[in-house]
Amino acid sequence: MADMTRGYLHWVNDKGTILPRGPLMLSPSSLFSAFHREVIEKKPEKFKIECLNDIKNLFAPSKQPFYAAFGNRPNDVYAYIQVGVPDCRIFTVNPKGELIQERTKGNKSSYHRLSELVEHVFPLLNKEQNSAFPCPEFSSFCYWRDPIPKVDLDDLA
């Protein structure tokens, strides 16, 4: 099943936009144990929650290592919420390859569209990193976060 899953993840392609490379976490349990959990109990999210919690526990208790999450089933959304990912940054992918933000289910998008908004949805961690914006300090994410500076109207005249 690992080869099938890996092959599927490499196959996903939205007009040239592909998924980033990353680890593939698979259940270390036996085939029968995994089959029982996913088919008979109907709780495939149990392994995902345990796995994500193990990763989360590698960080300081006050840190949240997960900024956003992608899945293709309601069980994935449930698992991501259980480990603290905000629902505004959880995306599901439907069989047509459309991205649906969990908080705004009526808003369908695509990986290509998300790549255009990546600086707004996933802001830079620090200002030293390169940015697609010529002046990242004036992007919507950075500029409107701080209170607008006071302007003396007499200076403008």
Side-chain angles (χ1 to χ4, degrees), residues 129-146:
Q129 291 177 322
N130 290 334
S131 172
F133 294 122
C135 299
E137 64 273 14
F138 297 110
S139 70
S140 296
F141 182 80
C142 294
Y143 188 76
W144 298 111
R145 185 182 323 166
D146 297 328

Side-chain angles (χ1 to χ4, degrees), residues 14-70:
D14 180 25
K15 297 176 187 160
T17 304
I18 59 173
L19 293 171
R21 290 182 174 264
L24 178 60
M25 310 269 180
L26 300 172
S27 176
S29 59
S30 70
L31 176 63
F32 292 113
S33 174
F35 181 79
H36 182 268
R37 179 181 60 243
E38 296 196 17
V39 177
I40 295 171
E41 290 181 5
K42 298 194 186 316
K43 298 211 178 262
E45 69 276 5
K46 281 174 62 176
F47 166 72
K48 185 172 274 195
I49 293 170
E50 290 172 12
C51 185
L52 292 172
N53 274 325
D54 286 347
I55 294 168
K56 187 176 180 178
N57 290 336
L58 296 172
F59 295 84
S62 61
K63 296 290 182 186
Q64 171 55 283
F66 308 115
Y67 187 80
F70 294 82

Side-chain angles (χ1 to χ4, degrees), residues 46-103:
K46 281 174 62 176
F47 166 72
K48 185 172 274 195
I49 293 170
E50 290 172 12
C51 185
L52 292 172
N53 274 325
D54 286 347
I55 294 168
K56 187 176 180 178
N57 290 336
L58 296 172
F59 295 84
S62 61
K63 296 290 182 186
Q64 171 55 283
F66 308 115
Y67 187 80
F70 294 82
N72 63 347
R73 301 192 184 263
N75 302 34
D76 295 333
V77 173
Y78 177 78
Y80 297 141
I81 289 172
Q82 292 301 306
V83 296
V85 179
D87 64 349
C88 63
R89 293 193 298 255
I90 297 175
F91 298 89
T92 53
V93 184
N94 68 18
K96 296 177 185 175
E98 298 168 323
L99 278 182
I100 301 164
Q101 188 180 23
E102 189 57 27
R103 185 176 282 174

